[in-house]
Amino acid sequence: MSRARHARTGTEPVTALSALRLRLLLSAVFTPLFVAGAIVFGVWWGRAEQGDAVGPDPLRVATLICAVLAVVALIDLLVVIRRRRSASRSASR
């Protein structure tokens, strides 16, 4: 099995790397923020009634958006952690 994941198709640098440190920082910051947002909007959505200034429909959308973004941020966090561990293992060999 070759070490390259994809064949080079253009002029990208041979040693191009993703900004894993930045992705780790952003995912670590935004995962709990999106989870908290989903909880806050979910509770607000549960208490909202049709006559309120902000009805239940926009709150449902905000809750679902925050929940989806929390899942995406969590998946990215897990991917970055896995890539950093595999890079450190291959560097120590």
Side-chain angles (χ1 to χ4, degrees):
M1 188 166 152
S2 70
R3 302 230 1 129
R5 290 176 50 183
H6 304 288
R8 288 176 44 99
T9 59
T11 60
E12 69 271 3
V14 177
T15 59
L17 297 174
S18 174
L20 290 181
R21 230 182 256 169
L22 178 62
R23 283 177 58 192
L24 180 68
L25 174 69
L26 291 174
S27 294
V29 168
F30 284 106
T31 298
L33 285 178
F34 286 135
V35 168
I39 291 169
V40 167
F41 284 125
V43 169
W44 190 7
W45 173 31
R47 295 181 180 185
E49 296 176 3
Q50 285 296 337
D52 292 346
V54 180
D57 292 334
L59 293 172
R60 180 186 69 226
V61 171
T63 302
L64 293 176
I65 288 171
C66 282
V68 167
L69 289 174
V71 169
V72 169
L74 180 63
I75 289 171
D76 189 47
L77 182 64
L78 296 174
V79 167
V80 169
I81 290 171
R82 184 174 148 245
R83 285 187 184 175
R84 287 179 58 120
R85 283 185 183 162
S86 69
S88 68
R89 272 192 237 126
S90 65
S92 65
R93 288 182 185 179

